[in-house]
Amino acid sequence: MEAQRLISGFCSTPPIQNTKTQVFVKFPLSSSSSSSASFAQSQKWVSFKACPSISQSALSGKVFQCRNSGERIEFLASDKEDLRSGIRRKKLAVFVSGGGSNFRSIHEACLRGSIHGDIVVVVTSKQGCGGADYARDKGLPVILFPKTKLEADGISPADLVATLRSFEVDFVLLAGYLKLIPAELIQAYPRSILNIHPSLLPAFGGKGNYGMKVHKAVIATGARYTGPTIHFVDEHYDTGRILAQRVVPVLAKDTAEELAARVLREEHRIYVEVITALCEDRVIWREDGVPIIRSKENPNEYS
């Protein structure tokens, strides 16, 4: 029952007809949320049918044991590209609160192989939001966090950390997630949580500055340039170290909606580019604590 509470649906689409294709993952069956340790000790195996949308690359080269029948199942997709690169394919968690257009862009990039990683779990603060619905439709596990008056089924920060660890998550990607990230998660994933903001931080950032509010404020101040910022997450809203930015001009007769559309197009491009670099281990930290990205074509160049 606890597994059902934590995971709000793996596959809303009909499962594939080949019932031999099963994937086994660990989820907590105990109702205790007092500590990560008790969470880990209470894990048991839960199986689900693999949906057609699950990336073949996520299963490539892997061998699973069907615990019900004992039958060995092999996924024969080649893993040669991973071996050539010498870089392990990363496991990603995406956090959403709204429509999830950046989440969709990231997911599509993973499926087509642009990103050397796979989304293994989605966390949402609103179980009925578009991003969560998209995740369920694609057969991705959905976790509800945090617990609020409106979302009573949400889990605790300790259980959130334990759940992400059970999925062996490497990086956490915020994609329109409107809640403050708990200190427990930041401590558990140092320099591993990214957020995207629709303005050139530190301008137009902070609590309450999100979505269309940002674009209206940009126009109202007469700013001539704006654009998305990708930064690492700390304990506060929009104050973490900046990793990448993309400049978008503000036109004289722009409406907030027109500006938002142009910025969003750049968000989709730059977030995929940055996550690609992150999964290829090309994000480097200078001695002063500033993150930079090493060029794939020329390792001696940085941005």
Side-chain angles (χ1 to χ4, degrees):
M1 293 302 294
E2 180 70 8
Q4 295 175 358
R5 184 174 74 84
L6 290 174
I7 310 299
S8 59
F10 286 103
C11 290
S12 59
T13 55
I16 56 179
Q17 294 302 311
N18 181 6
T19 57
K20 293 182 180 180
T21 307
Q22 289 185 304
V23 179
F24 294 85
V25 292
K26 285 184 177 180
F27 297 105
L29 298 183
S30 169
S31 59
S32 172
S33 60
S34 58
S35 68
S36 299
S38 63
F39 180 101
Q41 292 170 359
S42 66
Q43 290 176 344
K44 293 185 179 180
W45 284 102
V46 177
S47 67
F48 65 93
K49 298 290 192 303
C51 288
S53 61
I54 291 180
S55 170
Q56 187 177 22
S57 60
L59 302 176
S60 61
K62 306 297 190 298
V63 178
F64 293 91
Q65 185 75 25
C66 181
R67 297 174 81 89
N68 291 334
S69 65
E71 183 175 357
R72 183 182 177 87
I73 302 168
E74 295 190 17
F75 296 92
L76 301 178
S78 174
D79 217 16
K80 292 181 179 178
E81 182 178 354
D82 291 3
L83 294 176
R84 283 200 305 268
S85 68
I87 299 174
R88 179 178 57 82
R89 196 171 182 88
K90 304 304 190 294
K91 296 181 180 181
L92 311 172
V94 179
F95 284 42
V96 297
S97 292
S101 68
N102 270 306
F103 160 40
R104 298 179 190 214
S105 177
I106 296 166
H107 183 241
E108 290 167 359
C110 290
L111 294 180
R112 66 174 178 263
S114 299
I115 293 175
H116 195 63
D118 301 286
I119 299 172
V120 296
V121 64
V122 175
V123 176
T124 182
S125 61
K126 299 179 181 179
Q127 59 183 337
C129 72
D133 289 341
Y134 173 84
R136 296 187 190 99
D137 184 60
K138 297 302 180 182
L140 296 170
V142 176
I143 306 297
L144 184 61
F145 176 84
K147 182 176 182 179
T148 65
K149 291 181 179 179
L150 296 178
E151 301 290 358
D153 291 332
I155 62 175
S156 69
D159 277 356
L160 175 64
V161 171
T163 302
L164 296 184
R165 282 177 170 164
S166 74
F167 278 99
E168 300 179 339
V169 167
D170 295 294
F171 298 111
V172 173
L173 312 172
L174 310 188
Y177 186 76
L178 301 181
K179 297 293 185 179
L180 188 65
I181 298 302
E184 293 93 330
L185 184 59
I186 294 170
Q187 293 166 6
Y189 286 88
R191 293 184 172 182
S192 300
I193 307 175
L194 283 182
N195 182 44
I196 188 163
H197 185 78
S199 74
L200 296 174
L201 293 175
F204 307 103
K207 185 176 182 179
N209 287 319
Y210 60 88
M212 202 61 66
K213 293 181 179 180
V214 171
H215 304 300
K216 289 179 179 178
V218 168
I219 292 174
T221 61
R224 300 304 196 263
Y225 296 96
T226 186
T229 297
I230 296 176
H231 65 95
F232 283 94
V233 175
D234 59 16
E235 290 83 358
H236 308 285
Y237 285 105
D238 305 326
T239 59
R241 294 287 189 172
I242 293 172
L243 179 58
Q245 292 180 311
R246 186 70 51 81
V247 175
V248 175
V250 182
L251 305 182
K253 295 185 178 181
D254 263 341
T255 64
E257 289 74 17
E258 291 169 339
L259 182 58
R262 286 206 310 282
V263 171
L264 186 61
R265 285 195 293 271
E266 294 303 321
E267 286 184 37
H268 292 169
R269 295 188 185 103
I270 193 173
Y271 215 175
V272 168
E273 291 173 7
V274 168
I275 296 168
T276 298
L278 192 69
C279 291
E280 293 175 355
D281 298 337
R282 291 191 287 111
V283 174
I284 309 298
W285 290 80
R286 293 189 331 208
E287 291 184 1
D288 60 358
V290 173
I292 54 178
I293 298 174
R294 186 176 66 241
S295 169
K296 186 173 184 178
E297 291 73 24
N298 187 347
N300 294 320
E301 295 182 356
Y302 298 86
S303 61

